[in-house]
Amino acid sequence: RIIRSFDKPLILRSTHWLTSQPQIQCPDPEMTASSLIGTLIYYVLTQHILHASNILPLDRDRYLDNLVKMALDSTPPGQE
């Protein structure tokens, strides 16, 4: 149920946003959106719900900055 009401609409909106930004050369917007959302869910789950922040603390801003950099630095296929 959470997939239908939360994940799917968020991935669809994110995919649309990635597609509508001409400055972002995203080779696969749907997979990029899904990966970004999944990574954010993993972060929240491990750091806050499973309390991994006590064992393996990950700075939120550093995590997000690196995630955005990885997503935006992707080179479209055939342009390596």
Side-chain angles (χ1 to χ4, degrees), residues 35-53 56-65 67:
S35 297
L36 291 170
I37 302 305
T39 302
L40 292 173
I41 290 169
Y42 171 81
Y43 175 83
V44 170
L45 224 137
T46 57
Q47 293 296 296
H48 301 291
I49 296 171
L50 299 175
H51 306 290
S53 59
L56 179 65
L58 298 171
D59 179 69
R60 181 193 66 194
D61 291 336
R62 183 173 156 220
Y63 194 88
L64 289 173
D65 287 345
L67 179 60

Side-chain angles (χ1 to χ4, degrees), residues 69-80:
K69 183 175 178 4
M70 285 190 311
L72 296 181
D73 282 351
S74 63
T75 304
Q79 296 182 13
E80 293 88 18

Side-chain angles (χ1 to χ4, degrees), residues 15-30:
T15 300
H16 175 73
W17 184 84
L18 287 168
T19 304
S20 69
Q21 302 301 310
Q23 70 275 20
I24 298 176
Q25 298 289 318
C26 188
D28 190 343
E30 185 178 25

Side-chain angles (χ1 to χ4, degrees), residues 1-19 29-42 44:
R1 194 165 183 186
I2 193 166
I3 302 297
R4 184 177 296 128
S5 62
F6 180 75
D7 290 3
K8 186 175 180 181
L10 188 55
I11 290 170
L12 290 174
R13 282 192 301 261
S14 300
T15 300
H16 175 73
W17 184 84
L18 287 168
T19 304
E30 185 178 25
M31 190 54 65
T32 300
S34 182
S35 297
L36 291 170
I37 302 305
T39 302
L40 292 173
I41 290 169
Y42 171 81
V44 170

